[in-house]
Coordinates of all heavy atoms in Angstrom, one line a residue:
L380 N 94.4 116.0 118.0 CA 93.5 117.2 117.9 C 94.1 118.2 116.9 O 93.4 118.7 116.0 CB 93.4 117.8 119.2 CG 92.4 119.0 119.3 CD1 91.0 118.6 118.9 CD2 92.4 119.6 120.7
L381 N 95.4 118.5 117.0 CA 96.0 119.4 116.1 C 96.0 119.0 114.6 O 95.6 119.7 113.7 CB 97.5 119.7 116.5 CG 98.3 120.7 115.7 CD1 97.6 122.1 115.7 CD2 99.7 120.8 116.1
A382 N 96.3 117.7 114.4 CA 96.3 117.1 113.1 C 94.8 117.1 112.5 O 94.6 117.4 111.3 CB 96.8 115.7 113.1
G383 N 93.9 116.8 113.4 CA 92.5 116.9 112.9 C 92.0 118.2 112.5 O 91.3 118.4 111.5
I384 N 92.5 119.3 113.2 CA 92.1 120.6 112.9 C 92.7 121.0 111.5 O 92.0 121.6 110.6 CB 92.6 121.6 114.0 CG1 91.8 121.4 115.2 CG2 92.4 123.1 113.5 CD1 92.3 122.2 116.4
V385 N 94.0 120.7 111.3 CA 94.6 121.0 110.0 C 93.9 120.3 108.9 O 93.6 120.8 107.8 CB 96.1 120.6 110.1 CG1 96.7 120.8 108.7 CG2 96.8 121.5 111.1
Q386 N 93.6 119.0 109.1 CA 92.9 118.2 108.1 C 91.5 118.8 107.7 O 91.2 119.0 106.5 CB 92.6 116.8 108.6 CG 93.8 115.8 108.5 CD 93.4 114.5 109.0 OE1 92.9 114.3 110.1 NE2 93.7 113.5 108.2
A387 N 90.8 119.2 108.7 CA 89.5 119.8 108.5 C 89.6 121.1 107.7 O 88.8 121.4 106.8 CB 88.8 120.1 109.8
L388 N 90.6 122.0 108.1 CA 90.8 123.2 107.3 C 91.1 123.0 105.9 O 90.6 123.7 105.0 CB 91.9 124.0 108.0 CG 91.7 124.6 109.4 CD1 92.9 125.3 109.9 CD2 90.5 125.7 109.3
I389 N 91.8 121.9 105.6 CA 92.2 121.6 104.2 C 91.0 121.0 103.4 O 90.7 121.4 102.3 CB 93.4 120.7 104.1 CG1 94.7 121.4 104.6 CG2 93.7 120.2 102.7 CD1 95.9 120.5 104.8
E390 N 90.3 120.0 104.0 CA 89.3 119.3 103.3 C 88.0 120.0 103.3 O 87.2 119.8 102.4 CB 89.2 117.9 103.9 CG 90.5 117.0 103.8 CD 90.8 116.7 102.4 OE1 90.0 116.9 101.5 OE2 91.9 116.1 102.2
V391 N 87.6 120.7 104.4 CA 86.3 121.4 104.4 C 86.3 122.7 103.7 O 85.4 123.1 103.0 CB 85.8 121.5 105.9 CG1 84.5 122.2 105.9 CG2 85.7 120.1 106.5
A392 N 87.4 123.5 103.9 CA 87.7 124.7 103.2 C 86.8 125.9 103.7 O 87.4 127.0 103.9 CB 87.5 124.6 101.7
T393 N 85.5 125.8 103.9 CA 84.7 126.9 104.3 C 83.8 126.5 105.5 O 83.4 125.4 105.6 CB 83.8 127.4 103.1 OG1 82.9 126.4 102.8 CG2 84.6 127.8 101.9
P394 N 83.4 127.5 106.3 CA 82.5 127.2 107.4 C 81.1 126.7 106.9 O 80.5 125.8 107.6 CB 82.3 128.6 108.1 CG 83.6 129.3 107.8 CD 83.9 128.9 106.4
A395 N 80.7 127.2 105.8 CA 79.4 126.8 105.3 C 79.4 125.3 104.9 O 78.4 124.6 105.2 CB 78.9 127.6 104.1
A396 N 80.5 124.9 104.3 CA 80.6 123.5 103.9 C 80.7 122.5 105.1 O 80.3 121.4 105.0 CB 81.9 123.3 103.1
L397 N 81.1 123.0 106.3 CA 81.1 122.2 107.5 C 79.7 121.8 107.9 O 79.5 120.7 108.4 CB 81.8 123.0 108.6 CG 82.2 122.2 109.9 CD1 83.2 121.1 109.6 CD2 82.7 123.2 111.0
V398 N 78.8 122.7 107.6 CA 77.4 122.4 108.0 C 76.6 121.8 106.9 O 75.8 120.9 107.1 CB 76.7 123.7 108.5 CG1 75.2 123.4 108.8 CG2 77.4 124.3 109.7
N399 N 76.8 122.2 105.6 CA 76.0 121.9 104.5 C 76.4 120.6 103.7 O 75.6 120.1 102.9 CB 75.9 123.1 103.5 CG 75.2 124.3 104.1 OD1 74.4 124.1 105.0 ND2 75.6 125.5 103.7
S400 N 77.6 120.1 103.9 CA 78.1 119.0 103.2 C 78.1 117.7 104.1 O 78.2 117.8 105.3 CB 79.5 119.2 102.7 OG 80.4 119.2 103.7
T401 N 77.9 116.6 103.5 CA 78.0 115.3 104.2 C 79.3 115.1 104.9 O 79.4 114.7 106.1 CB 77.7 114.1 103.3 OG1 76.4 114.3 102.7 CG2 77.7 112.8 104.1
Y402 N 80.4 115.5 104.2 CA 81.7 115.4 104.8 C 81.8 116.2 106.0 O 82.3 115.8 107.1 CB 82.7 115.8 103.7 CG 84.2 115.5 104.1 CD1 84.8 114.3 103.8 CD2 84.9 116.4 104.9 CE1 86.1 114.1 104.1 CE2 86.2 116.2 105.2 CZ 86.8 115.0 104.9 OH 88.1 114.8 105.2
G403 N 81.4 117.5 105.9 CA 81.4 118.4 107.1 C 80.6 117.9 108.3 O 81.0 118.0 109.4
Q404 N 79.4 117.3 108.0 CA 78.6 116.8 109.1 C 79.3 115.6 109.8 O 79.2 115.5 111.0 CB 77.2 116.4 108.5 CG 76.4 117.7 108.1 CD 75.2 117.3 107.2 OE1 75.0 116.1 106.9 NE2 74.5 118.3 106.7
L405 N 79.9 114.8 109.0 CA 80.7 113.7 109.6 C 81.8 114.2 110.5 O 82.1 113.7 111.5 CB 81.2 112.7 108.5 CG 80.1 111.8 107.9 CD1 80.8 111.1 106.7 CD2 79.6 110.8 108.9
V406 N 82.5 115.3 110.0 CA 83.5 115.9 110.8 C 83.0 116.4 112.1 O 83.6 116.2 113.2 CB 84.2 117.0 110.0 CG1 85.2 117.8 110.9 CG2 85.0 116.4 108.9
L407 N 81.8 117.1 112.1 CA 81.2 117.6 113.3 C 80.8 116.4 114.2 O 81.0 116.5 115.5 CB 79.9 118.4 112.9 CG 80.2 119.7 112.3 CD1 78.8 120.4 111.9 CD2 81.0 120.7 113.2
A408 N 80.3 115.3 113.7 CA 80.0 114.2 114.5 C 81.3 113.6 115.2 O 81.3 113.3 116.4 CB 79.3 113.1 113.7
K409 N 82.3 113.6 114.4 CA 83.6 113.1 115.0 C 84.1 114.0 116.1 O 84.6 113.5 117.1 CB 84.6 113.0 113.8 CG 85.9 112.2 114.2 CD 86.8 112.1 113.0 CE 88.1 111.4 113.3 NZ 89.0 111.2 112.1
I410 N 84.0 115.3 115.9 CA 84.4 116.3 116.9 C 83.6 116.1 118.2 O 84.1 116.1 119.3 CB 84.3 117.7 116.4 CG1 85.3 118.0 115.3 CG2 84.4 118.7 117.5 CD1 85.1 119.3 114.5
G411 N 82.3 115.9 118.0 CA 81.4 115.7 119.2 C 81.8 114.5 120.0 O 81.9 114.5 121.2
L412 N 82.0 113.4 119.3 CA 82.4 112.1 120.0 C 83.8 112.3 120.6 O 84.1 111.8 121.7 CB 82.4 111.0 118.9 CG 81.1 110.5 118.4 CD1 81.2 109.6 117.2 CD2 80.3 109.8 119.5
F413 N 84.7 113.0 119.9 CA 86.0 113.2 120.4 C 86.0 114.0 121.7 O 86.7 113.8 122.6 CB 86.9 113.9 119.4 CG 88.3 114.0 119.7 CD1 89.1 112.9 119.6 CD2 88.9 115.2 120.1 CE1 90.5 112.9 120.0 CE2 90.3 115.3 120.4 CZ 91.0 114.1 120.3
G414 N 85.1 115.0 121.7 CA 84.9 115.8 123.0 C 84.5 114.9 124.2 O 85.0 115.1 125.3
L415 N 83.6 113.9 123.9 CA 83.2 113.0 125.0 C 84.4 112.2 125.5 O 84.6 112.0 126.7 CB 82.1 112.1 124.5 CG 80.7 112.7 124.2 CD1 79.8 111.6 123.7 CD2 80.1 113.2 125.5
V416 N 85.2 111.8 124.5 CA 86.4 111.0 124.9 C 87.4 111.8 125.7 O 87.9 111.3 126.7 CB 87.1 110.4 123.7 CG1 88.4 109.7 124.0 CG2 86.2 109.5 122.9
I417 N 87.6 113.1 125.3 CA 88.5 114.0 126.1 C 88.0 114.1 127.5 O 88.8 114.1 128.4 CB 88.6 115.3 125.4 CG1 89.3 115.2 124.0 CG2 89.3 116.3 126.2 CD1 90.7 114.8 124.1
G418 N 86.7 114.2 127.7 CA 86.1 114.4 129.0 C 86.4 113.2 129.9 O 86.8 113.3 131.1
V419 N 86.2 112.0 129.3 CA 86.5 110.7 130.1 C 88.0 110.6 130.3 O 88.4 110.2 131.4 CB 86.0 109.5 129.3 CG1 86.4 108.2 130.0 CG2 84.5 109.6 129.1
A420 N 88.8 111.0 129.3 CA 90.3 110.9 129.5 C 90.8 111.9 130.6 O 91.7 111.6 131.4 CB 91.0 111.2 128.2
A421 N 90.1 113.1 130.7 CA 90.5 114.0 131.7 C 90.2 113.5 133.1 O 91.0 113.7 134.1 CB 89.7 115.3 131.5
Y422 N 89.1 112.7 133.2 CA 88.7 112.1 134.5 C 89.8 111.1 134.9 O 90.3 111.0 136.0 CB 87.4 111.5 134.4 CG 87.0 110.6 135.6 CD1 86.7 111.1 136.8 CD2 86.9 109.2 135.4 CE1 86.4 110.3 137.9 CE2 86.6 108.4 136.5 CZ 86.3 108.9 137.7 OH 86.0 108.1 138.8
S423 N 90.3 110.3 133.9 CA 91.3 109.3 134.2 C 92.6 109.9 134.6 O 93.3 109.5 135.5 CB 91.5 108.4 132.9 OG 90.4 107.7 132.5
R424 N 93.0 111.0 133.9 CA 94.2 111.7 134.2 C 94.1 112.3 135.6 O 95.1 112.4 136.4 CB 94.4 112.8 133.2 CG 95.8 113.5 133.3 CD 96.0 114.4 132.1 NE 97.2 115.2 132.2 CZ 98.5 114.7 132.0 NH1 98.7 113.5 131.7 NH2 99.5 115.5 132.2
H425 N 92.9 112.8 136.0 CA 92.7 113.3 137.4 C 93.0 112.2 138.4 O 93.6 112.5 139.4 CB 91.3 113.9 137.5 CG 90.9 114.2 138.9 ND1 91.4 115.3 139.6 CD2 90.1 113.5 139.8 CE1 90.9 115.3 140.8 NE2 90.1 114.3 141.0
L426 N 92.5 111.0 138.2 CA 92.7 109.9 139.1 C 94.2 109.6 139.2 O 94.7 109.3 140.3 CB 92.0 108.7 138.6 CG 90.4 108.8 138.7 CD1 89.8 107.5 138.2 CD2 89.9 109.1 140.1
V427 N 94.9 109.6 138.1 CA 96.4 109.4 138.1 C 97.1 110.4 138.9 O 98.0 110.1 139.7 CB 96.9 109.3 136.6 CG1 98.4 109.2 136.6 CG2 96.3 108.1 135.9

């Protein structure tokens, strides 16, 4: 997560580019999917 944030700050550069560029939209899609995974992982950790 930390590395992904640093990458996004370097490669996207501006908040507007995060929404208006294809690269930024793919980053947003990746973040959304990553959020789902974190939720499932939290459930697994709770069981452990």
Side-chain angles (χ1 to χ4, degrees):
L380 184 60
L381 181 60
I384 291 173
V385 174
Q386 280 180 310
L388 289 174
I389 293 174
E390 299 292 354
V391 176
T393 65
L397 190 64
V398 178
N399 296 330
S400 69
T401 302
Y402 189 93
Q404 291 163 3
L405 286 171
V406 169
L407 290 177
K409 190 174 178 181
I410 291 172
L412 290 168
F413 190 72
L415 290 177
V416 174
I417 291 295
V419 178
Y422 170 70
S423 300
R424 187 169 174 80
H425 170 74
L426 294 179
V427 172

